[in-house]
Amino acid sequence: MVHANTEGVKSYHRLGRTELKISDISFGTTRLRSGTENLVHHAMDKGINYFDSAESYARGQSEVVLGNALKDDGKRQQVYIVSKAMLEPDTTADEMMSRLDESLTRLQTDYVDIYMNHAVNDVDVVANPEWLVFTEKAKAQGKIRFTGISGHGGYLIDCVDYALDNDMIDVMLTAYNFGQDPKFYEGLTRAIDW
């Protein structure tokens, strides 16, 4: 008979280039809906301190629920919040700031621990110079502590390489499946005469 582990988090580890010690189990908020604040509280009771959100999750509703769950009793200071925004190659720094501010309002906090350029699949999005202008200003204003990228699309490797080569990120959240990279399949099918 297999017994489920009901004890919760076993350890905490440093995240990327940050000093944040995050739980070995994190909480993705993509499915949070109104009235599910108790799920956040249960996760915290189990030792989870890393909550991953994005402006697009449930059309912003998940950030509202997370904000509601963390607004009382000093709970916000017990956790690390990540938020993310899907950007375009021509998204301006002002638009990025506006979108961050909207997330902060939904989250009912004045800062997020990590803010990510979300679902990157185009190097031009990562290379947008406005991202660095925005992150520098947001850090100076205390709205974000660290930056990162997230992705799971076909050109993720190119995006990660660019971000690392240009020292742009503190954290990355990526899919771990080499089969998602189109270059993998190009290598396999190069010699096939269709």
Side-chain angles (χ1 to χ4, degrees):
M1 178 176 215
V2 177
H3 296 282
N5 176 4
T6 58
E7 297 176 27
V9 170
K10 298 289 186 197
S11 60
Y12 297 84
H13 303 277
R14 181 178 172 205
L15 178 63
R17 294 192 317 183
T18 76
E19 76 275 0
L20 308 179
K21 295 282 190 177
I22 69 163
S23 48
D24 60 7
I25 302 170
S26 62
F27 190 105
T29 66
T30 188
R31 300 287 184 196
L32 284 181
R33 301 294 188 274
S34 181
T36 58
E37 289 82 2
N38 62 318
L39 296 175
V40 175
H41 298 150
H42 179 75
M44 289 179 70
D45 290 344
K46 294 297 181 180
I48 293 173
N49 69 352
Y50 181 94
F51 290 83
D52 177 88
S53 68
E55 66 178 6
S56 61
Y57 291 173
R59 296 182 180 156
Q61 186 179 13
S62 68
E63 287 188 332
V64 170
V65 173
L66 184 58
N68 288 340
L70 298 175
K71 70 181 178 183
D72 297 324
D73 303 324
K75 287 183 174 69
R76 169 64 184 99
Q77 288 69 40
Q78 298 172 32
V79 300
Y80 302 119
I81 297 177
V82 177
S83 190
K84 305 183 285 293
M86 292 177 65
L87 307 173
E88 298 295 331
D90 60 351
T91 305
T92 67
D94 288 341
E95 182 181 341
M96 292 176 203
M97 188 66 75
S98 176
R99 290 168 67 181
L100 170 61
D101 288 339
E102 290 169 7
S103 283
L104 294 175
T105 297
R106 286 189 295 271
L107 289 163
Q108 300 179 53
T109 186
D110 55 357
Y111 73 99
V112 291
D113 297 284
I114 303 163
Y115 197 69
M116 293 192 186
N117 193 340
H118 185 40
V120 298
N121 192 33
D122 179 349
V123 172
D124 290 339
V125 171
V126 179
N128 179 353
E130 293 287 295
W131 173 256
L132 294 177
V133 171
F134 156 71
T135 57
E136 184 176 313
K137 185 174 181 181
K139 282 181 177 181
Q141 293 177 359
K143 294 179 180 182
I144 60 175
R145 296 175 62 195
F146 301 101
T147 62
I149 60 172
S150 71
H152 40 72
Y155 296 95
L156 178 60
I157 292 171
D158 298 327
C159 294
V160 168
D161 284 346
Y162 185 90
L164 293 174
D165 289 347
N166 290 282
D167 196 29
M168 298 176 70
I169 57 173
D170 302 303
V171 174
M172 64 179 150
L173 173 64
T174 61
Y176 188 67
N177 181 347
F178 63 89
Q180 289 180 294
D181 186 352
K183 291 178 184 175
F184 171 76
Y185 293 107
E186 290 167 9
L188 292 176
T189 60
R190 182 177 15 240
I192 298 174
D193 182 6
W194 297 102

